[in-house]
């Protein structure tokens, strides 16, 4: 009988928080695996053009980025330049090697089907540059491209 | 009470540490998806001396942007970006069967079935290059059949009709994208209308369904609408304008 009395006098036991760190770590691990780090730092100044008819690319699709704009570091000059990965490259032919390297990296993974996103400044980049980029892409048969565009703000 | 039980390290703060880490990772990673205007570049032609196919003037909608970013649409200057929307819609539908606009084709179920039957018969006898052509055509008619089954008999612009963007080397990229965007606005308005009539939902709402929950049926609907109003935009090689 005494056992029962003892139990009654006790307060409701608190929920153990010992497993909380584990839960948080699992969430943490989930985020680390699922999210991708911000793609390479921009070394060129880019203000994306705006548009209304924007389509979001499939998340599972591989994307290669080509950035074009005026270099932030004035040592690279004051005209629009190309940035592939982390580097500002001297000429357009580099695109071929860039695409080939990216394809090799992906060859073990899922399909090597990839889209090339052209991230270019709307005012400082002229069509001559875009043409040269697209020509190089055609040379290596990377035909699916995406003109990176920002959603037009509604207050116009 | 001489022997005290060894006290464990207080673990309650580990949760906090983990939370801070979690917060950092969430902020540092961008889940922002890449978005923009998709396009497919034309394949590089193996034989550049090969003559491009004859083009009928009325099958081309020419939009020109000069070096000062001014627009010329079908020979008329002083056009605004907004004007493109209506011009594209007129070009893609040719509502009055006008002579100066591209010819429209009407695709019916009977026609699809008939052509597929003929092509399948041809396939038996075709060899080599001819077989490739037959296969291509068969594929085209099969996509048309899929579309007809979903939207019924439809009227579409003939295969040769193309929207061509001509620009100068000095044309800014922003303006070019502006033009492309407006062309898509025109197309998407037509597509929305068609999807509304056929399925009771807009094309854009079909398209914005997240990839993970998009069903085969949704994809088929999207393809059918695209078949009716195809996106055919080409860039002409730059010239001085």
């Amino acid at each position: 009988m005494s056992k029962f009395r003892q139990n009654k006098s006790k307060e409701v036991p608190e929920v153990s928080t010992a497993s909380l760190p584990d839960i948080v770590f699992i969430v943490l691990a989930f985020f680390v695996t699922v999210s991708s780090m911000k793609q390479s730092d921009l070394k060129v100044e880019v203000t994306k053009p705006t548009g209304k008819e924007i389509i979001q690319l499939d998340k599972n699709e591989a994307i290669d980025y080509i950035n074009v704009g005026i270099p932030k570091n004035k040592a690279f000059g004051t005209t629009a330049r190309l940035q592939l990965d982390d580097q500002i490259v001297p000429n357009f032919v580099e695109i071929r090697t860039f695409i080939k390297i990216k394809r090799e990296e992906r060859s073990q993974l899922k399909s090597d089907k990839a889209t090339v996103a052209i991230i270019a400044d709307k005012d400082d980049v002229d069509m001559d540059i875009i043409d040269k980029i697209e020509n190089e892409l055609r040379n290596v048969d990377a035909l699916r491209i995406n003109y990176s565009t920002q959603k037009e703000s509604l207050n116009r | 009470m001489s022997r005290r039980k060894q006290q464990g390290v207080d673990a309650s703060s580990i949760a906090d540490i983990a939370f801070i880490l979690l917060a950092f990772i969430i902020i540092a990673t961008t889940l922002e998806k890449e978005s923009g205007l998709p396009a497919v570049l034309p394949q590089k032609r193996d034989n550049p001396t090969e003559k491009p196919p004859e083009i009928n003037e009325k099958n081309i909608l020419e939009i020109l942007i000069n070096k000062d970013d001014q627009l010329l649409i079908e020979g008329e200057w002083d056009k605004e970006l907004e004007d493109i929307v209506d011009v594209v819609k007129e070009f893609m539908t040719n509502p009055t069967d006008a002579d100066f606009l591209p010819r429209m084709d009407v695709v019916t179920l009977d026609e699809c079935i008939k052509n597929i039957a003929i092509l399948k018969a041809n396939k038996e006898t075709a060899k080599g290059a001819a077989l490739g052509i037959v296969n291509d055509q068969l594929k085209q008619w099969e996509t048309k059949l899929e579309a007809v089954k979903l939207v019924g008999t439809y009227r579409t612009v003939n295969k040769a009709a193309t929207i061509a963007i001509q620009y100068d080397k000095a044309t800014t990229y922003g303006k070019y994208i502006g033009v492309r965007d407006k062309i898509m606005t025109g197309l998407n308005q037509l597509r929305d209308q068609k999807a509304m009539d056929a399925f009771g939902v807009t094309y854009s709402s079909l398209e914005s369904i997240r990839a993970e929950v998009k069903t085969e049926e949704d994809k088929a609907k999207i393809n059918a609408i695209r078949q009716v109003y195809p996106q055919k935009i080409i860039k002409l090689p730059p010239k001085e304008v």
Side-chain angles (χ1 to χ4, degrees), chain A residues 24 28 35 51-53 55-57 65 120 122 125-128 130-131 134 138-139 143 145-149, chain B residues 18 22 29 33-44 167 169 171 173-174 176 181 185 188 235 238:
Chain A
V24 174
L28 185 63
S35 59
K52 263 167 66 192
E53 311 298 324
I55 293 173
Q56 276 201 344
L57 291 192
Y65 296 91
K122 65 184 169 80
V125 174
D126 59 34
M127 287 310 288
D128 190 30
I130 300 293
D131 261 341
E134 289 184 3
R138 286 173 68 190
N139 274 330
L143 301 178
I145 60 165
N146 184 58
Y147 297 109
S148 202
T149 313
Chain B
L22 184 62
T29 54
K33 285 187 225 157
E34 175 63 22
S35 60
L37 301 174
V40 178
L41 299 175
Q43 221 148 22
K44 201 168 179 78
Y167 48 84
K169 281 184 175 180
T171 301
Y173 172 68
Y176 168 72
D181 187 54
T185 307
N188 285 344
K235 274 163 76 215

Side-chain angles (χ1 to χ4, degrees), chain A residues 98-140:
Chain A
F98 170 72
I99 296 289
K100 276 176 194 155
I101 290 171
K102 291 281 169 189
R103 273 188 190 151
E104 264 162 42
E105 279 174 9
R106 264 196 303 273
S107 57
Q108 289 96 348
L109 297 169
K110 39 191 175 182
S111 67
D112 60 349
K113 188 178 108 180
T115 302
V116 178
I118 299 180
I119 302 176
D121 189 276
K122 65 184 169 80
D123 294 316
D124 297 328
V125 174
D126 59 34
M127 287 310 288
D128 190 30
I129 296 175
I130 300 293
D131 261 341
K132 282 175 181 159
I133 293 172
E134 289 184 3
N135 266 332
E136 290 305 332
L137 290 175
R138 286 173 68 190
N139 274 330
V140 286

Side-chain angles (χ1 to χ4, degrees), chain B residues 19-40:
Chain B
F19 265 122
I20 290 170
L21 269 175
L22 184 62
F24 169 74
I25 302 248
I26 290 175
I27 292 168
T29 54
T30 43
L31 284 172
E32 189 192 322
K33 285 187 225 157
E34 175 63 22
S35 60
L37 301 174
V40 178

Side-chain angles (χ1 to χ4, degrees), chain A:
Chain A
M1 284 309 276
S2 64
K3 269 184 187 167
F4 288 110
R5 205 173 297 143
Q6 226 177 16
N7 265 0
K8 251 183 195 166
S9 71
K10 259 195 183 168
E11 279 175 43
V12 186
E14 270 185 68
V15 179
S16 162
T17 54
S19 57
L20 195 59
D22 299 331
I23 296 169
V24 174
F25 269 119
I26 289 170
V27 177
L28 185 63
F30 170 76
F31 267 95
V32 171
T33 45
V34 160
S35 59
S36 52
M37 271 288 182
K38 196 178 166 211
Q39 57 127 345
S40 54
D41 277 338
L42 276 182
K43 287 200 167 66
V44 289
E45 207 82 57
V46 172
T47 317
K48 288 185 195 172
T50 54
K52 263 167 66 192
E53 311 298 324
I54 288 169
I55 293 173
Q56 276 201 344
L57 291 192
D58 196 344
K59 203 165 54 185
N60 304 319
E61 210 170 332
I63 303 171
D64 299 331
Y65 296 91
I66 294 181
N67 303 297
V68 203
I70 291 176
K72 284 176 182 162
N73 182 353
K74 291 289 168 271
F76 287 107
T78 50
T79 51
R81 296 290 296 273
L82 218 59
Q83 183 197 342
L84 305 174
D85 278 337
D86 270 346
Q87 280 173 357
I88 292 185
V89 296
N91 52 42
F92 294 95
V93 188
E94 302 279 337
I95 292 174
R96 297 187 202 178
T97 6
F98 170 72
I99 296 289
K100 276 176 194 155
I101 290 171
K102 291 281 169 189
R103 273 188 190 151
E104 264 162 42
E105 279 174 9
R106 264 196 303 273
S107 57
Q108 289 96 348
L109 297 169
K110 39 191 175 182
S111 67
D112 60 349
K113 188 178 108 180
T115 302
V116 178
I118 299 180
I119 302 176
D121 189 276
K122 65 184 169 80
D123 294 316
D124 297 328
V125 174
D126 59 34
M127 287 310 288
D128 190 30
I129 296 175
I130 300 293
D131 261 341
K132 282 175 181 159
I133 293 172
E134 289 184 3
N135 266 332
E136 290 305 332
L137 290 175
R138 286 173 68 190
N139 274 330
V140 286
D141 213 39
L143 301 178
R144 290 154 53 83
I145 60 165
N146 184 58
Y147 297 109
S148 202
T149 313
Q150 242 162 21
K151 192 94 187 155
E152 204 164 79
S153 50
L154 293 166
N155 48 359
R156 292 207 323 145

